[in-house]
Amino acid sequence: MDSRRIVLLGATGYTGQRVLRELLKHGAEPTLVGRSCARMRAVADRFGADLPVAQADLTSAADLSRLLESSDVVVSTVGPFMELGMATVTAAARAGAHYLDSTGEGTFARFVFELDSVATARGAALVPAFGYDYVPGNLAGALALTRAGERARHVDIGYFITRSGPGDPLRYRSTLRDAWTLTTGGTRQTLVGAAAEEGFAYRPPRPGAPSRLVDERAAKRVRTFHYAGVRRATMTVPGSEHLGLPEAFPQLESVEVGLGWFGRWTRPVQIAAGLQAPLLRSARVRSALTRLSGRLPGAHRGPDSDGRSLVIAEARDGSGRHLARTALTGPDPYEMTGSLLAWGAVRAAAPDTVLKPGAHGPVAAFGLDTLALGAAEAGVHEVAEAPASRR
């Protein structure tokens, strides 16, 4: 049985080029899909590869339906996903093709999960947010929950960026400047857009009720993690952990995901996000902010090269008592995303890989042990907390 064809959308973009580079390292020869065949061939030439290309309107389900087949593995890095990604995942689900993407938009991941019945009927496996957002959180959460055992009822996950160089990266305290210099303009635009969208959480909607996905705006709460002697604040965000971890761990009563990029500025940013959310629901205001972000100094510069990632997960029992903690470190978010997506695509395309049809989180889709091996290939490793740190 031959390997499935890998179809890459967005190869000319910042993240797409990183995915393409990693796919080529794996020996894959993906088909590049986009609006400009000339630009896609130029990117392939830059990597010294002769790859098939196909022109398509990525917002047209009809175009993509004609292109995609049930034996394909579709990898999309084309965002903003709520604006540009719906046609692609819908076409993949209807075609019966496996699907992975680089979205960090929780609302889009929720949309993908709403295609579960279509994907199941067609034999497609849909796994959104298969990069820095939100594979390491799913993995760290699953490891902590596995170690905690059946008593685990709650899991909290925090995402942080650090820097390599002098000193211990695990003790590095993020700053507001890091959120600018270690990210791309596209990432910052996504953060602005996320403040305007209704988010979600996983918890009981009221005391005594069964847990489920509940609507909740992003940045509604602040959660603090203590790790390696450093107190780290996060503000809540909708992630694929809310969607995927309860499938793998049905005893869960709550899942909380936090973004900890802003250091001591987390609380002011959280308050500002709450105040600005009503304004950002205006398309005119969002458009103006998008134009402004593209004109600010450094808006088009690449991220600093010394960025690193840290993800912490804590499992608790029904009374809130700590049971287990897991911390993962890895390369900067963009390198991690490129490596994870390439690994996931090659794994999904392998003749001996069988993925369960439907929409899933990465743990349920690939299995915990296999996902941990794939993450290690992408440079994501578990680290032990320094003995001198306080809990």
Side-chain angles (χ1 to χ4, degrees), residues 166-259:
D168 183 355
L170 296 181
R171 299 182 188 276
Y172 184 85
R173 298 174 185 267
S174 302
T175 67
L176 193 60
R177 180 176 179 273
D178 291 329
W180 180 268
T181 59
L182 294 176
T183 62
T184 65
T187 296
R188 294 189 292 273
Q189 289 179 15
T190 297
L191 288 174
V192 171
E197 301 290 342
E198 285 298 328
F200 51 83
Y202 185 83
R203 65 168 187 271
R206 58 187 180 278
S211 297
R212 62 174 175 84
L213 214 61
V214 295
D215 294 331
E216 177 180 288
R217 68 171 178 82
K220 184 173 182 178
R221 295 184 307 282
V222 168
R223 163 79 162 84
T224 300
F225 292 77
H226 295 271
Y227 181 78
V230 179
R231 184 175 180 271
R232 295 175 168 91
T234 67
M235 60 184 190
T236 52
V237 293
S240 73
E241 292 90 341
H242 301 100
L243 302 158
L245 286 177
E247 177 185 4
F249 300 90
Q251 80 274 18
L252 278 174
E253 296 176 4
S254 74
V255 178
E256 189 158 284
V257 182
L259 184 66

Side-chain angles (χ1 to χ4, degrees), residues 42 150 191 201 341 359:
E150 287 299 317
L191 288 174
L341 273 172

Side-chain angles (χ1 to χ4, degrees), residues 70-82:
S70 61
S71 57
D72 289 338
V73 175
V74 180
V75 181
S76 177
T77 64
V78 181
F81 283 83
M82 286 299 291

Side-chain angles (χ1 to χ4, degrees), residues 77-111:
T77 64
V78 181
F81 283 83
M82 286 299 291
E83 179 182 345
L84 303 174
M86 291 186 177
T88 299
V89 66
T90 301
R94 290 174 177 170
H98 295 335
Y99 170 90
L100 306 166
D101 66 39
S102 62
T103 189
E105 302 164 43
T107 48
F108 182 77
R110 187 177 188 177
F111 170 78

